[in-house]
Coordinates of all heavy atoms in Angstrom, one line a residue:
K29 N 66.3 53.8 -70.9 CA 65.5 55.0 -70.6 C 64.9 55.7 -71.8 O 65.5 55.6 -72.9 CB 66.4 56.0 -69.8 CG 67.0 55.5 -68.5 CD 67.9 56.5 -67.9 CE 68.5 56.0 -66.5 NZ 69.4 57.0 -65.9
H30 N 63.9 56.5 -71.6 CA 63.3 57.3 -72.6 C 62.8 56.6 -73.9 O 63.0 57.0 -75.0 CB 64.3 58.4 -73.0 CG 64.9 59.1 -71.9 ND1 64.2 59.8 -70.9 CD2 66.2 59.3 -71.5 CE1 65.0 60.3 -70.0 NE2 66.3 60.0 -70.4
I31 N 62.2 55.4 -73.7 CA 61.8 54.6 -74.8 C 60.4 54.9 -75.2 O 59.8 54.2 -76.1 CB 62.0 53.1 -74.6 CG1 61.1 52.6 -73.4 CG2 63.5 52.8 -74.3 CD1 61.1 51.1 -73.3
A32 N 59.8 55.9 -74.6 CA 58.4 56.2 -74.9 C 58.2 56.6 -76.4 O 57.2 56.3 -77.0 CB 57.9 57.4 -74.0
A33 N 59.3 57.2 -77.0 CA 59.2 57.6 -78.4 C 59.1 56.3 -79.3 O 58.5 56.3 -80.3 CB 60.4 58.4 -78.7
V34 N 59.9 55.3 -78.9 CA 59.8 54.0 -79.6 C 58.5 53.4 -79.5 O 57.9 52.9 -80.5 CB 60.9 53.1 -79.1 CG1 60.9 51.8 -79.9 CG2 62.3 53.7 -79.2
I35 N 57.9 53.4 -78.3 CA 56.6 52.8 -78.1 C 55.5 53.6 -79.0 O 54.7 52.9 -79.7 CB 56.2 52.9 -76.6 CG1 57.1 52.0 -75.8 CG2 54.7 52.5 -76.4 CD1 56.9 52.2 -74.3
E36 N 55.6 54.9 -79.0 CA 54.7 55.7 -79.8 C 54.8 55.4 -81.2 O 53.8 55.3 -82.0 CB 54.9 57.2 -79.5 CG 53.9 58.1 -80.1 CD 52.5 58.0 -79.6 OE1 52.4 57.7 -78.4 OE2 51.6 58.3 -80.4
A37 N 56.1 55.3 -81.7 CA 56.3 55.1 -83.1 C 55.8 53.8 -83.6 O 55.3 53.7 -84.7 CB 57.8 55.3 -83.4
L38 N 56.1 52.7 -82.9 CA 55.7 51.4 -83.3 C 54.2 51.1 -83.0 O 53.6 50.4 -83.8 CB 56.6 50.3 -82.5 CG 57.9 49.9 -83.2 CD1 57.7 49.1 -84.4 CD2 58.8 51.0 -83.4
C39 N 53.7 51.5 -81.9 CA 52.4 51.1 -81.5 C 51.3 52.2 -81.7 O 50.1 51.9 -81.6 CB 52.4 50.8 -80.0 SG 53.6 49.5 -79.6
G40 N 51.8 53.5 -81.9 CA 50.8 54.5 -82.2 C 50.2 55.2 -81.0 O 49.4 56.1 -81.1
R41 N 50.5 54.7 -79.8 CA 49.9 55.2 -78.6 C 50.7 54.6 -77.4 O 51.4 53.6 -77.5 CB 48.5 54.9 -78.5 CG 48.1 53.4 -78.5 CD 46.6 53.2 -78.5 NE 46.2 51.8 -78.6 CZ 46.1 51.0 -77.6 NH1 46.3 51.4 -76.4 NH2 45.6 49.7 -77.8
P42 N 50.5 55.3 -76.2 CA 51.2 54.7 -75.0 C 50.5 53.4 -74.6 O 49.4 53.1 -75.0 CB 50.9 55.8 -73.9 CG 50.6 57.0 -74.7 CD 49.9 56.6 -76.0
L43 N 51.2 52.6 -73.9 CA 50.7 51.3 -73.5 C 50.5 51.2 -72.0 O 51.3 51.9 -71.2 CB 51.7 50.2 -73.9 CG 52.1 50.0 -75.3 CD1 53.2 49.0 -75.5 CD2 50.8 49.5 -76.1
K44 N 49.5 50.5 -71.5 CA 49.3 50.3 -70.1 C 50.4 49.4 -69.6 O 50.8 48.4 -70.2 CB 47.9 49.7 -69.8 CG 46.8 50.6 -70.1 CD 45.5 49.9 -69.7 CE 44.3 50.9 -70.0 NZ 43.0 50.2 -69.6
A45 N 50.9 49.7 -68.4 CA 52.0 48.9 -67.8 C 51.6 47.4 -67.6 O 50.5 47.1 -67.1 CB 52.4 49.5 -66.4
R46 N 52.5 46.5 -68.0 CA 52.3 45.1 -67.8 C 51.0 44.5 -68.3 O 50.4 43.6 -67.7 CB 52.5 44.7 -66.4 CG 54.0 45.0 -65.9 CD 54.1 44.8 -64.4 NE 53.3 45.7 -63.6 CZ 53.7 47.0 -63.4 NH1 54.9 47.4 -63.9 NH2 53.0 47.8 -62.7
E47 N 50.5 45.1 -69.4 CA 49.2 44.6 -70.0 C 49.4 44.4 -71.5 O 49.8 45.3 -72.2 CB 48.1 45.6 -69.8 CG 46.8 45.2 -70.3 CD 45.7 46.2 -70.0 OE1 45.4 46.5 -68.8 OE2 45.0 46.7 -71.0
A48 N 49.2 43.1 -71.9 CA 49.4 42.8 -73.3 C 48.3 43.5 -74.2 O 47.1 43.4 -73.9 CB 49.3 41.3 -73.5
T49 N 48.7 44.2 -75.2 CA 47.8 44.9 -76.1 C 48.0 44.4 -77.6 O 49.2 44.4 -78.1 CB 48.1 46.4 -76.0 OG1 48.0 46.8 -74.7 CG2 47.1 47.2 -76.9
Y50 N 46.9 44.0 -78.2 CA 47.0 43.6 -79.6 C 46.8 44.8 -80.5 O 45.8 45.5 -80.4 CB 46.0 42.5 -79.9 CG 46.0 42.0 -81.3 CD1 46.9 41.1 -81.7 CD2 45.0 42.5 -82.2 CE1 47.0 40.6 -83.0 CE2 45.0 42.0 -83.5 CZ 46.0 41.1 -83.9 OH 46.0 40.7 -85.2
L51 N 47.8 45.0 -81.4 CA 47.7 46.2 -82.3 C 48.7 46.0 -83.4 O 49.5 45.1 -83.5 CB 48.0 47.4 -81.5 CG 49.2 47.5 -80.5 CD1 50.5 47.4 -81.2 CD2 49.1 48.7 -79.6
P52 N 48.6 46.9 -84.4 CA 49.5 46.8 -85.5 C 50.8 47.5 -85.2 O 50.9 48.5 -84.5 CB 48.8 47.6 -86.7 CG 47.9 48.5 -85.9 CD 47.5 47.8 -84.7
F53 N 51.9 46.9 -85.6 CA 53.3 47.5 -85.5 C 53.5 48.3 -86.8 O 53.6 47.6 -87.9 CB 54.3 46.5 -85.2 CG 54.0 45.6 -84.1 CD1 54.2 44.2 -84.2 CD2 53.6 46.1 -82.9 CE1 53.9 43.4 -83.1 CE2 53.3 45.3 -81.8 CZ 53.5 43.9 -81.9
R54 N 53.7 49.6 -86.7 CA 53.7 50.4 -88.0 C 55.1 50.9 -88.3 O 56.0 51.1 -87.5 CB 52.8 51.6 -87.8 CG 51.4 51.2 -87.4 CD 50.4 52.4 -87.5 NE 49.1 52.0 -87.2 CZ 48.2 51.4 -88.1 NH1 48.6 51.2 -89.3 NH2 47.0 51.1 -87.7
D55 N 55.3 51.0 -89.6 CA 56.6 51.5 -90.1 C 56.5 53.1 -90.1 O 55.5 53.7 -89.7 CB 56.9 51.0 -91.5 CG 55.9 51.4 -92.6 OD1 55.1 52.3 -92.3 OD2 55.9 50.8 -93.7
A56 N 57.6 53.7 -90.7 CA 57.6 55.2 -90.6 C 56.5 55.8 -91.4 O 56.0 57.0 -91.1 CB 59.0 55.7 -91.2
G57 N 55.9 55.1 -92.4 CA 54.8 55.7 -93.2 C 53.5 55.4 -92.6 O 52.5 55.7 -93.2
G58 N 53.4 54.7 -91.5 CA 52.1 54.3 -90.9 C 51.6 53.0 -91.4 O 50.5 52.6 -90.9
T59 N 52.3 52.3 -92.3 CA 51.8 51.0 -92.8 C 52.2 49.9 -91.8 O 53.3 49.9 -91.2 CB 52.4 50.7 -94.1 OG1 52.1 51.7 -95.1 CG2 51.9 49.4 -94.7
A60 N 51.2 49.0 -91.6 CA 51.5 47.9 -90.6 C 52.6 46.9 -91.1 O 52.4 46.4 -92.2 CB 50.2 47.1 -90.3
I61 N 53.6 46.7 -90.3 CA 54.6 45.7 -90.6 C 54.0 44.4 -90.2 O 54.2 43.4 -91.0 CB 55.9 46.0 -89.8 CG1 56.5 47.3 -90.2 CG2 56.9 44.9 -90.0 CD1 57.6 47.8 -89.3
D62 N 53.3 44.3 -89.1 CA 52.7 43.1 -88.6 C 51.7 43.4 -87.6 O 51.7 44.6 -87.1 CB 53.8 42.1 -88.1 CG 53.3 40.7 -87.8 OD1 52.1 40.4 -88.3 OD2 54.0 39.9 -87.2
H63 N 50.9 42.5 -87.1 CA 50.0 42.7 -86.0 C 50.4 41.7 -84.9 O 50.8 40.5 -85.2 CB 48.5 42.4 -86.4 CG 47.9 43.4 -87.2 ND1 48.3 43.6 -88.6 CD2 47.0 44.3 -87.0 CE1 47.6 44.6 -89.1 NE2 46.7 45.1 -88.1
G64 N 50.5 42.2 -83.7 CA 50.9 41.3 -82.6 C 50.6 41.9 -81.2 O 49.9 42.9 -81.1
L65 N 51.3 41.4 -80.2 CA 51.1 41.8 -78.8 C 52.3 42.7 -78.4 O 53.4 42.4 -78.7 CB 51.0 40.7 -77.9 CG 49.8 39.7 -78.0 CD1 49.9 38.6 -77.0 CD2 48.5 40.5 -77.8
A66 N 51.9 43.8 -77.8 CA 53.0 44.7 -77.3 C 52.8 44.8 -75.8 O 51.7 44.9 -75.2 CB 52.8 46.1 -77.9
L67 N 54.0 44.8 -75.1 CA 54.0 44.9 -73.6 C 55.0 45.9 -73.1 O 56.1 45.9 -73.7 CB 54.3 43.5 -73.0 CG 53.3 42.4 -73.2 CD1 53.8 41.5 -74.3 CD2 53.1 41.6 -71.9
H68 N 54.6 46.7 -72.2 CA 55.5 47.7 -71.6 C 55.7 47.4 -70.1 O 54.7 47.3 -69.4 CB 54.9 49.1 -71.8 CG 55.8 50.2 -71.2 ND1 55.2 51.3 -70.6 CD2 57.1 50.3 -71.0 CE1 56.2 52.1 -70.1 NE2 57.4 51.5 -70.4
F69 N 57.0 47.2 -69.7 CA 57.3 47.0 -68.3 C 58.1 48.1 -67.8 O 59.3 48.3 -68.1 CB 58.2 45.7 -68.2 CG 57.5 44.4 -68.7 CD1 57.7 44.0 -70.0 CD2 56.6 43.7 -67.9 CE1 57.1 42.9 -70.5 CE2 56.0 42.6 -68.4 CZ 56.2 42.2 -69.7
P70 N 57.5 49.1 -67.1 CA 58.2 50.2 -66.6 C 59.2 49.8 -65.5 O 59.0 48.9 -64.8 CB 57.1 51.1 -66.0 CG 55.8 50.6 -66.5 CD 56.0 49.1 -66.7
A71 N 60.3 50.6 -65.5 CA 61.4 50.3 -64.5 C 60.8 50.6 -63.1 O 59.9 51.5 -63.0 CB 62.6 51.2 -64.8
P72 N 61.2 49.9 -62.1 CA 62.3 48.9 -62.1 C 61.7 47.5 -62.2 O 62.4 46.5 -62.0 CB 62.9 49.1 -60.7 CG 61.8 49.5 -59.8 CD 60.9 50.3 -60.7
H73 N 60.4 47.4 -62.5 CA 59.7 46.1 -62.5 C 59.8 45.4 -63.8 O 58.8 45.3 -64.5 CB 58.3 46.2 -62.0 CG 58.1 46.9 -60.7 ND1 58.6 46.4 -59.5 CD2 57.6 48.1 -60.3 CE1 58.4 47.2 -58.5 NE2 57.8 48.3 -59.0
S74 N 61.0 45.1 -64.2 CA 61.2 44.4 -65.5 C 62.4 43.5 -65.4 O 63.1 43.5 -64.4 CB 61.5 45.5 -66.6 OG 62.7 46.1 -66.4
Y75 N 62.7 42.8 -66.4 CA 63.8 41.8 -66.4 C 65.1 42.5 -66.2 O 66.0 42.1 -65.4 CB 63.8 41.0 -67.8 CG 65.0 40.1 -67.9 CD1 65.0 38.9 -67.1 CD2 66.0 40.3 -68.8 CE1 66.1 38.0 -67.2 CE2 67.1 39.4 -68.9 CZ 67.1 38.3 -68.1 OH 68.1 37.4 -68.2
T76 N 65.3 43.7 -66.9 CA 66.6 44.4 -66.8 C 66.6 45.4 -65.7 O 67.7 45.9 -65.4 CB 66.9 45.1 -68.1 OG1 65.8 46.1 -68.4 CG2 66.9 44.1 -69.3
G77 N 65.5 45.7 -65.1 CA 65.4 46.8 -64.2 C 65.2 48.2 -64.8 O 65.1 49.2 -64.1
E78 N 65.2 48.2 -66.1 CA 64.9 49.4 -66.9 C 63.6 49.3 -67.5 O 62.9 48.3 -67.4 CB 66.0 49.5 -68.0 CG 67.4 49.5 -67.5 CD 68.4 49.5 -68.7 OE1 68.1 48.9 -69.7 OE2 69.5 50.0 -68.5
D79 N 63.1 50.4 -68.2 CA 61.9 50.4 -69.0 C 62.2 49.4 -70.1 O 63.2 49.4 -70.8 CB 61.6 51.8 -69.6 CG 61.1 52.7 -68.6 OD1 60.6 52.3 -67.6 OD2 61.2 54.0 -68.8
V80 N 61.2 48.5 -70.3 CA 61.3 47.4 -71.4 C 60.1 47.4 -72.2 O 59.0 47.5 -71.7 CB 61.6 46.1 -70.7 CG1 61.5 44.9 -71.8 CG2 62.9 46.0 -70.0
L81 N 60.3 47.3 -73.5 CA 59.2 47.1 -74.5 C 59.4 45.7 -75.2 O 60.6 45.5 -75.6 CB 59.2 48.2 -75.6 CG 58.3 48.0 -76.8 CD1 56.8 48.0 -76.4 CD2 58.6 49.0 -77.9
E82 N 58.4 44.9 -75.2 CA 58.5 43.7 -75.9 C 57.4 43.6 -77.0 O 56.2 43.9 -76.7 CB 58.3 42.5 -75.0 CG 59.6 42.2 -74.2 CD 59.5 40.8 -73.5 OE1 58.5 40.1 -73.7 OE2 60.5 40.4 -72.8
L83 N 57.8 43.3 -78.2 CA 56.9 43.2 -79.3 C 56.9 41.7 -79.7 O 57.9 41.2 -80.1 CB 57.4 44.1 -80.5 CG 57.6 45.6 -80.2 CD1 58.2 46.3 -81.5 CD2 56.3 46.2 -79.8
Q84 N 55.7 41.1 -79.6 CA 55.5 39.7 -80.0 C 54.8 39.6 -81.3 O 53.6 39.9 -81.4 CB 54.7 39.0 -78.9 CG 55.4 39.0 -77.5 CD 54.7 38.3 -76.5 OE1 53.7 37.6 -76.7 NE2 55.1 38.4 -75.2
A85 N 55.6 39.3 -82.3 CA 55.0 39.2 -83.7 C 55.1 37.8 -84.2 O 55.5 36.9 -83.5 CB 55.9 40.2 -84.6
H86 N 54.7 37.6 -85.5 CA 54.9 36.4 -86.1 C 56.4 36.1 -86.3 O 57.2 37.0 -86.6 CB 54.2 36.3 -87.5 CG 52.7 36.4 -87.3 ND1 52.0 37.6 -87.4 CD2 51.8 35.4 -87.0 CE1 50.7 37.3 -87.2 NE2 50.5 36.0 -87.0
G87 N 56.8 34.8 -86.2 CA 58.2 34.5 -86.1 C 58.9 34.3 -87.4 O 59.8 33.5 -87.5
G88 N 58.6 35.1 -88.4 CA 59.4 35.1 -89.6 C 60.6 36.0 -89.5 O 60.6 37.1 -89.0
P89 N 61.8 35.6 -90.0 CA 63.0 36.4 -89.8 C 62.9 37.7 -90.5 O 63.4 38.7 -90.0 CB 64.1 35.5 -90.5 CG 63.4 34.5 -91.3 CD 62.1 34.2 -90.6
V90 N 62.3 37.8 -91.7 CA 62.1 39.1 -92.3 C 61.3 40.1 -91.5 O 61.6 41.3 -91.3 CB 61.6 39.0 -93.8 CG1 61.3 40.3 -94.4 CG2 62.5 38.1 -94.6
V91 N 60.2 39.6 -91.0 CA 59.3 40.4 -90.2 C 60.0 41.0 -89.0 O 60.0 42.2 -88.6 CB 58.0 39.6 -89.7 CG1 57.2 40.4 -88.7 CG2 57.2 39.3 -90.9
L92 N 60.8 40.1 -88.3 CA 61.5 40.5 -87.1 C 62.6 41.5 -87.4 O 62.8 42.5 -86.6 CB 62.1 39.3 -86.4 CG 61.0 38.3 -85.8 CD1 61.7 37.1 -85.2 CD2 60.1 39.0 -84.8
Q93 N 63.3 41.3 -88.5 CA 64.3 42.3 -88.9 C 63.7 43.6 -89.2 O 64.3 44.7 -88.9 CB 65.1 41.7 -90.1 CG 66.0 40.6 -89.8 CD 67.2 41.0 -88.9 OE1 67.5 42.2 -88.8 NE2 67.8 40.0 -88.2
L94 N 62.5 43.6 -89.8 CA 61.8 44.9 -90.1 C 61.4 45.6 -88.8 O 61.6 46.8 -88.7 CB 60.6 44.6 -91.0 CG 60.9 44.3 -92.5 CD1 59.6 43.9 -93.2 CD2 61.5 45.5 -93.2
L95 N 60.9 44.8 -87.9 CA 60.6 45.4 -86.6 C 61.8 46.0 -85.9 O 61.7 47.1 -85.3 CB 59.9 44.4 -85.7 CG 58.4 44.1 -86.1 CD1 57.9 43.0 -85.2 CD2 57.5 45.3 -86.0
L96 N 62.9 45.2 -85.9 CA 64.1 45.7 -85.2 C 64.6 47.0 -85.9 O 65.0 47.9 -85.2 CB 65.1 44.6 -85.2 CG 66.5 44.9 -84.6 CD1 66.4 45.3 -83.2 CD2 67.5 43.8 -84.8
A97 N 64.6 47.0 -87.2 CA 65.1 48.2 -87.9 C 64.2 49.4 -87.6 O 64.7 50.5 -87.4 CB 65.1 47.9 -89.4
R98 N 62.9 49.1 -87.5 CA 62.0 50.3 -87.2 C 62.3 50.8 -85.8 O 62.2 52.0 -85.5 CB 60.6 49.8 -87.3 CG 59.5 50.8 -86.9 CD 59.6 52.1 -87.8 NE 58.6 53.1 -87.4 CZ 58.8 54.4 -87.3 NH1 60.0 54.9 -87.6 NH2 57.9 55.2 -87.0
C99 N 62.5 49.9 -84.8 CA 62.8 50.3 -83.4 C 64.1 51.2 -83.4 O 64.1 52.2 -82.8 CB 63.0 49.1 -82.5 SG 61.5 48.2 -82.2
L100 N 65.1 50.7 -84.1 CA 66.4 51.5 -84.1 C 66.2 52.8 -84.8 O 66.8 53.8 -84.4 CB 67.5 50.7 -84.9 CG 67.9 49.4 -84.2 CD1 68.8 48.5 -85.1 CD2 68.6 49.7 -82.9
E101 N 65.4 52.8 -85.9 CA 65.1 54.1 -86.5 C 64.4 55.1 -85.6 O 64.7 56.2 -85.5 CB 64.3 53.8 -87.8 CG 63.9 55.1 -88.6 CD 62.9 54.8 -89.7 OE1 62.1 53.8 -89.6 OE2 63.0 55.5 -90.7

Side-chain angles (χ1 to χ4, degrees):
K29 297 178 180 178
H30 313 303
I31 64 171
V34 180
I35 295 174
E36 183 70 30
L38 270 293
C39 304
R41 60 186 174 86
L43 299 173
K44 291 184 179 180
R46 293 174 296 281
E47 183 177 301
T49 305
Y50 180 77
L51 42 70
F53 306 136
R54 302 192 180 278
D55 63 16
T59 303
I61 300 171
D62 193 9
H63 288 70
L65 296 177
L67 296 99
H68 177 214
F69 302 94
H73 305 295
S74 70
Y75 178 71
T76 62
E78 304 173 329
D79 288 338
V80 170
L81 169 67
E82 283 195 0
L83 303 176
Q84 299 183 7
H86 293 96
V90 174
V91 171
L92 295 178
Q93 288 293 340
L94 287 172
L95 284 177
L96 178 59
R98 177 60 180 141
C99 288
L100 293 171
E101 178 187 34

